[in-house]
Amino acid sequence: MRTETPPVIRLADYRPSDYLIDRVDLDVRLHPTETRVTATLALRPNPAGEAGAPLVLDGDDLTLLAIALDGQPTAPGAIEAGPRGLTLHQPPSRPFVLSLETQVNPSANTKLMGLYRSNGVYCTQCEADGFRRITYFLDRPDVLAVYTTRIEADRTEAPVLLGNGNPVETGEVGPDRHFAVWHDPHPKPAYLFALVGGRLGRIASTFTTLEGRTVEVAVYVEPGKEERAPYALDAVKRAMAWDERAFGRVYDLDVFNVVAVSDFNMGAMENKGLNIFNDKYVLASPDTATDTDYANIEAIIAHEYFHNWSGNRVTCRDWFQLCLKEGLTVFRDQEFSSDERSRPVHRIAEVRTLRARQFPEDAGPLAHPVRPQAYREINNFYTATVYEKGAEIVRMLRTLLGPETFRAGMDLYFARCDGTAATVEDFLAAFAEVSGRDLTAFARWYAQAGTPVVSVSGRHDPHARTYTLDFHQSLPVVATEASAGGEPQPLVIPVALGLVAPEGGPVAARSEQVRDGVFVLEQESGRVVFTDVPEAPVPSLFRGFSAPVRVAHALDAGQRLTLLARDSDPFNRWQAAQGLALDVLTARARAGAPLVDEAGADGAALAEALGTFLDAEALADPAFAALVLAIPGDQEVAQEIGANVDPDAIHRARWTLRQHLGRALAPRLIALRERLAAPADAPFSPDAASAGRRALANAALDLVAAADPATGTHMAEAQFARATNMTDRLAALATLALLPGEARERALQSFAQTHRTEPLVLDKWFSLQATIPEAGTVERVRGLMRHEGFSLGNPNRVRSLIGSFSLNNPTQFHREDGAGYDLVAETVLALDTRNPQVAARLLTAFSTWRMVEAKRRARAEAALRAIAGSPGLSPDVGDIVNRSLAPARHQANA
């Protein structure tokens, strides 16, 4: 590899900054190509730092125009400045003021970090280290300052000027320009700085806090799209109210603003008082957004708002503590969505995401602990491990301590750490104090990479009337730069469990090892003995998915059917159906042959059980029924197989099982669709109950089409033509996309023509076509890259087409001839010079390359080595490709 390798940053090397910044006064004069930024920094030596050390400020692609120290020009040789940083060799040993004037070009900033323009709107993205692209600074999260920002712009170009905190002043600057001053009274790190300037539409409302203060809440969007913003505005107010109820967190400014922009590397950013969003997570109407879109908007709006306390008021000491704000806030937004919608359904969705994204990450070359020990490029650690697994750790903590003690710990954490940059140790210390519990062993969850496997065996003693469960945890050895190294230690694993009688209902058994339905496995092995058990029960383990582990438990089909029909835990009912299907799929995929006409005894038993379930319960909770009907995805089957995976064999097995289920259940499914159909004149509602009915109706359509393509095509075409909302229209198109023929191409063409002026809707069209599991899809994707609606410069377009192809179309990404790998590799290299973050995230699709069979594995490695050998790689892409190619160092630790 011929690119410069960035240095390794290690947690063990952390030391405080030598200087602190108390106040930041910014004067930003916006211009499309020559924006000037004057930063006045009130600095002082840090008592915890090195006395007399030079002041080293971070920079990235900056041009220094002027500098002054305490109002006077610096002496010759006193500073050394360049695009990448500025050093003041001999700073005063007392508080001092440093004034800097820099110039940046927002229009040329294709990295979308720092200050840039999106569709003519000026905006910023400063996490993790984008502020250094605006001015020279101590760009690290443990340097907190109070900011006052004056923004000046051409009045016609940018009539709206927004900043962090509260508005202070507005005024005119000559005949053509105007200004606005914003002040944020709460100290914050530079990564939470934000400004926006542009022509924007606005909708607004007010929220009254528990303290009786009135907060003005506003959502800003592109002019003409205001009618698509009310749902986001309502979600903000519901999140504010929920956070007061659930965590006692009250909003602390006079205004809260959300801005939607079309070019954004991530989903959204929690800048203090001024959240900037990718517009796909703000804009929604029945004609353009699906039920999933509405749910995502609700969750992500809430997530960014919840950061006001878990991330802003209490921030991270360093980027190794990223999980402290992200994992904790994901847990908080999951709880919000669970309260707003169906808790069991939402929990299943959370686990599906974890298994699809985080489990493969844990098993591949990019594995790292929730708190890494080292990194080369921090942008590459915004991962499912930090977010989703980080949330699971917080959830386990609540399970271990109980809800009341957990809430007390959260209260203490917020009170003790308010206004500071905290660590994982600070977080756990609050819970240890309120509970009196030693959490040293629990903290290993933050330090050890890999997904634990918990093996379980049970035996019934009819004479002693006891039932014994033996548990054994095995942990992978994951030796990577980001890991702590050494042999893994046993984890503290909460196992929520119960016993189900074969005829149904809970078994009223007792166990000294179980408290409040939870057994805590703290050593490598553990045992639970239940007394007064007259007959062999079926164990219901890890209820609600009480720990992020893989479970090795030899349940037979009959026991799984018992759980599906009779368990009181909804998650394990769903898991039982998944287990039945997974047994069938892995057996057939390992054999390398599809199911032909019959699914075998296990498949037939699954179909019969699903039929019984639908008859009894489908209409009681349609959203849950839709999840029970959905068989495991390709990625989950691949994870179960583990090595020498043939994606085509998995696809054939899944396709044929869907055919079998569709044939067996067709009369029920068609009848269900008729009963679930809403009246033609019924207004659309994105509420959970309505969304659940649509989900089940569309799941039924999918299975009917798999069983009988002709009938499925007819039904899908009819739904596509008469659909009154995007959910049903897109579901019909998704069904047709899997059925080759003229009907599919007509529908795709019609959809594109209808929505040709709607980029976010065209993204759905790109994504559907990218995931067609057919040999011609690589060529289809290449053609779509030339479509007038596609642009490599827009992250949403790239993710919808190339991201969907690489992550959600395993048969074609892993095509035997390597064409899928080549397509993604070419795109990564084309993107790397303009937007390294997006390029690096695309490259993570290769993280499972070692799992596939030998021929594909060789093709994937060749593509990775071609990228590695390309000159001038960014640190982002260079880091991912090097880690992907590093020698495999995972092994089971029995």
Side-chain angles (χ1 to χ4, degrees), residues 335-463:
E335 287 297 291
F336 168 75
S337 293
S338 295
D339 285 348
E340 292 289 301
R341 293 173 177 266
S342 162
R343 181 166 290 272
V345 168
H346 199 268
R347 185 60 182 145
I348 292 168
E350 293 161 9
V351 175
R352 291 178 72 185
T353 298
L354 184 83
R355 287 174 172 169
R357 296 177 56 208
Q358 197 280 321
F359 277 20
E361 188 170 271
D362 248 353
L366 303 182
H368 63 87
V370 172
R371 181 169 67 176
Q373 297 298 304
Y375 63 79
R376 293 183 184 273
E377 175 51 64
I378 187 55
N379 289 324
N380 291 336
F381 283 85
Y382 285 75
T383 62
T385 296
V386 166
Y387 282 69
E388 276 73 32
K389 189 173 181 179
E392 294 300 321
I393 294 175
V394 178
R395 190 176 304 280
M396 284 190 291
L397 190 61
R398 187 182 64 175
T399 300
L400 289 169
L401 302 182
E404 292 183 0
T405 303
F406 177 80
R407 170 62 190 271
M410 288 298 305
D411 288 347
L412 179 60
Y413 168 68
F414 286 131
R416 178 180 288 168
C417 298
D418 187 12
T420 72
T423 65
V424 167
E425 285 76 15
D426 295 325
F427 179 67
L428 293 178
F431 294 95
E433 182 170 325
V434 300
S435 67
R437 184 168 186 153
D438 184 355
L439 296 176
T440 303
F442 182 79
R444 294 171 188 157
W445 276 105
Y446 287 100
Q448 295 183 179
T451 303
V453 175
V454 178
S455 302
V456 189
S457 61
R459 64 183 184 278
H460 179 247
D461 185 334
H463 300 293

Side-chain angles (χ1 to χ4, degrees), residues 69-97:
L69 177 62
D70 289 330
Q72 301 298 317
T74 55
I79 68 160
E80 182 179 345
R84 306 291 294 180
L86 182 150
T87 300
L88 179 63
H89 294 294
Q90 293 183 317
S93 58
R94 51 165 176 79
F96 59 96
V97 175

Side-chain angles (χ1 to χ4, degrees), residues 632-679:
D634 294 69
Q635 185 62 258
E636 191 167 351
V637 180
Q639 286 291 314
E640 188 71 14
I641 294 172
N644 294 313
V645 169
D646 180 350
D648 291 333
I650 292 174
H651 174 71
R652 290 193 301 267
R654 289 190 73 251
W655 183 261
T656 314
L657 180 58
R658 289 172 59 244
Q659 283 183 321
H660 175 80
L661 294 177
R663 290 169 184 161
L665 302 175
R668 291 181 174 95
L669 297 174
I670 293 171
L672 260 180
R673 280 179 55 80
E674 293 174 355
R675 296 184 67 182
L676 292 165

Side-chain angles (χ1 to χ4, degrees), residues 280-293:
K280 72 179 291 186
Y281 297 118
V282 171
L283 301 176
S285 69
D287 292 335
T288 62
T290 64
D291 290 326
T292 299
D293 292 327

Side-chain angles (χ1 to χ4, degrees), residues 162-182:
L162 304 173
N164 297 107
N166 295 320
V168 174
E169 182 184 1
T170 60
E172 306 299 318
V173 185
D176 300 322
R177 293 177 72 81
H178 70 141
F179 74 90
V181 178
W182 292 77

Side-chain angles (χ1 to χ4, degrees), residues 315-334:
T315 192
C316 300
R317 186 195 72 176
D318 51 70
W319 290 120
F320 296 101
Q321 319 297 327
L322 183 60
C323 61
L324 185 60
K325 75 181 186 76
E326 294 301 348
L328 175 57
T329 305
V330 168
F331 167 78
R332 277 156 49 73
D333 82 53
Q334 288 175 348

